[in-house]
């Protein structure tokens, strides 16, 4: 859905939606992603819906790295500048700059990791030691790898970003070798053909070596891509495990609370049963007393009736005696 001026309505821009998603904790990511994708489909923006639906839920470490990027923009900018300086130093192989920047790298990675842990704790998602190590690994990758730096700068880290193995050695190997141009060979005039053959063989050897280097570079690029894909899958599995562990902990807590309530109810039931037994016993005793009292009352009533009859007879006899006198 677009406004009359041709721009997307607020909340519809796919980049804004992705920014919103990657700012969410992992537990809220999937539900909001599906909601936003469904909204895009409803508004007939199928391509945006596909992009939104393809967004992968970040691991807890990825979310913490994104949270650090968004919450500390000034520190993040300086961190990215440090990464560019480090990569440049490795490319130029400046020993003095390398030593100074490497020490700075260790200090700032440690400090940034502590900030990420504090921000996650304030947001209600404290980081375990393993997750914090993943955050540190991601930050080292941001310093070493421009692609990783671009992902973190966008605030859309999905899983653990891994720095190139042996950053310095790899950068040195990647830097073009500086060779002095070979001095022209001095050959006698009679050896010109042999020199040409030697030169041709050398060029062929150099071409073969270049092809070999190109193959190695291509193979290394494929290996890095496979590594990134494997890390992405690993991140997804870790996120799923974290979610399952959280669900298990929550279910366990609910079970414990229900168990406490059941125990309390069973205790109340036991007390009620005891009281009922006492009441039943009291009812039996009271019934027996009632029967005894009823028998005693009947006896007393009979005795009273007999006494009344005797008294009546005695009075009649007395009256008759007085009349005869």
């Amino acid at each position: 859905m677009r406004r009359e001026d041709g721009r997307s309505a607020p909340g519809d821009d796919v980049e804004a939606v992705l920014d919103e998603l990657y700012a969410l904790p992992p537990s809220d990511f999937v539900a909001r992603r599906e909601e936003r994708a469904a909204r895009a489909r409803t508004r007939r923006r199928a391509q945006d819906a596909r992009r939104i639906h393809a967004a992968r839920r970040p691991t807890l470490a990825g979310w913490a790295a994104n949270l650090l990027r968004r919450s500390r923009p000034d520190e993040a900018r300086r961190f990215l500048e440090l990464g560019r300086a480090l990569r440049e130093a490795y490319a130029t192989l400046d020993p003095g700059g390398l030593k100074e920047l490497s020490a700075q790298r260790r200090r700032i990675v440690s400090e940034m990791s502590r900030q990420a842990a504090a921000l996650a704790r304030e947001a209600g998602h404290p980081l375990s030691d393993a997750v914090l190590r993943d955050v540190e690994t991601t930050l080292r990758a941001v310093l070493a790898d421009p692609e990783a730096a671009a992902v973190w700068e966008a605030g859309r880290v999905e899983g653990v970003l891994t720095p190139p193995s042996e950053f310095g050695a790899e950068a040195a190997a990647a830097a073009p070798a500086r060779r002095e141009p070979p001095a022209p060979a001095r050959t006698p005039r009679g050896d010109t053909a042999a020199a040409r053959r030697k030169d041709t063989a050398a060029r062929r050897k150099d071409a073969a070596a270049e092809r070999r280097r190109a193959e190695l570079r291509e193979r290394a690029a494929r290996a890095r891509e496979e590594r990134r894909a494997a890390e992405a899958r690993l991140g997804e599995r870790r996120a799923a495990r974290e979610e399952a562990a959280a669900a298990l902990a929550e279910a366990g807590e609910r079970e414990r609370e229900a168990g406490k309530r059941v125990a309390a109810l069973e205790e109340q039931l036991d007390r009620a049963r005891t009281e009922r037994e006492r009441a039943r016993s009291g009812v039996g005793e009271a019934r027996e007393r009632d029967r005894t009292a009823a028998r005693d009352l009947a006896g007393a009533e009979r005795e009273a009736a007999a006494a009344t009859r005797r008294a009546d007879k005695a009075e009649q006899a007395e009256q008759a005696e007085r009349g005869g006198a």
Side-chain angles (χ1 to χ4, degrees):
M1 180 177 181
R2 294 187 177 273
R3 304 187 307 191
E4 292 180 358
D5 58 6
R7 292 180 297 171
S8 297
D12 284 347
D13 180 70
V14 66
E15 298 299 330
V17 170
L18 292 174
D19 287 340
E20 175 196 6
L21 290 176
Y22 283 99
L24 294 172
S27 57
D28 299 337
F29 184 92
V30 173
R32 185 66 62 85
R33 181 191 66 190
E34 297 309 307
E35 174 189 336
R36 295 303 191 194
R39 179 175 177 177
R41 283 192 295 269
T42 300
R43 298 184 175 184
R44 299 182 180 180
R45 294 187 291 112
Q47 185 175 357
D48 288 352
R50 284 193 294 270
R51 278 196 65 193
I52 294 169
H53 186 71
R56 287 199 293 262
R57 178 184 59 184
T59 63
L60 192 58
W63 167 77
N66 293 332
L67 179 64
L68 176 65
R69 170 68 183 93
R70 289 183 170 87
S71 302
R72 297 288 187 270
D74 293 338
E75 289 89 336
R77 177 180 52 78
R78 289 193 291 270
F79 191 73
L80 291 166
E81 291 174 354
L82 172 63
R84 283 189 287 270
L86 270 172
R87 292 191 295 273
E88 183 179 351
Y90 275 122
T92 58
L93 300 180
D94 176 8
L98 276 177
K99 184 176 181 181
E100 181 180 351
L101 288 173
S102 295
Q104 188 178 357
R105 177 188 63 180
R106 289 190 293 272
R107 289 195 303 271
I108 197 167
V109 165
S110 177
E111 175 58 28
M112 295 286 278
S113 300
R114 285 195 294 270
Q115 290 187 31
L119 290 168
R121 187 167 53 251
E122 291 172 4
H125 298 275
L127 306 183
S128 65
D129 291 341
V131 174
L132 187 57
R133 285 194 295 272
D134 287 344
V135 173
E136 292 175 350
T137 300
T138 294
L139 292 176
R140 288 196 296 271
V142 170
L143 292 177
D145 185 356
E147 293 182 8
V151 172
W152 185 67
E153 187 175 12
R156 297 179 187 174
V157 177
E158 296 173 351
V160 183
L161 301 178
T162 306
S165 57
E166 302 298 335
F167 180 20
E170 187 171 297
R178 297 177 181 177
R179 299 179 180 177
E180 295 296 331
R186 296 181 179 178
T187 58
R189 293 178 181 177
D191 294 339
T192 302
R196 282 200 299 269
R197 288 194 297 271
K198 185 176 180 181
D199 184 59
T200 300
R203 285 199 299 271
R204 289 175 179 172
K205 184 177 180 180
D206 290 343
E210 181 59 33
R211 285 195 299 272
R212 177 62 178 167
R213 285 192 293 270
E215 290 174 1
L216 291 175
R217 286 195 296 270
E218 183 178 356
R219 188 180 303 171
R222 285 198 303 268
R224 285 193 295 270
E225 185 61 30
E226 291 172 358
R227 181 183 64 188
R228 290 191 180 95
E231 288 167 354
R233 289 193 296 271
L234 176 61
E236 291 177 354
R237 300 299 183 272
R238 282 177 174 169
R241 176 61 189 279
E242 289 170 3
E243 185 174 349
L248 176 61
E250 184 179 355
E253 183 61 26
R254 288 199 303 269
E255 181 186 18
R256 285 190 291 273
E257 292 298 325
K260 291 178 182 178
R261 291 195 296 272
V262 168
L265 291 172
E266 287 177 344
E267 185 178 354
Q268 292 178 9
L269 179 60
D270 289 341
R271 288 198 299 268
R273 284 173 173 167
T274 301
E275 292 173 1
R276 183 181 65 180
E277 292 301 321
R278 290 175 180 170
R280 283 178 176 174
S281 178
V283 167
E285 293 175 358
R287 185 177 289 117
E288 184 61 30
R289 287 196 302 271
D290 180 66
R291 284 196 294 266
T292 300
R295 287 195 300 270
D296 292 345
L297 175 61
E301 287 175 343
R302 288 193 297 273
E303 290 177 0
T308 299
R309 287 194 297 272
R310 289 194 297 272
D312 289 343
K313 289 180 180 180
E315 288 178 356
Q316 290 174 1
E318 183 182 1
Q319 290 175 358
E321 182 66 27
R322 286 195 192 116

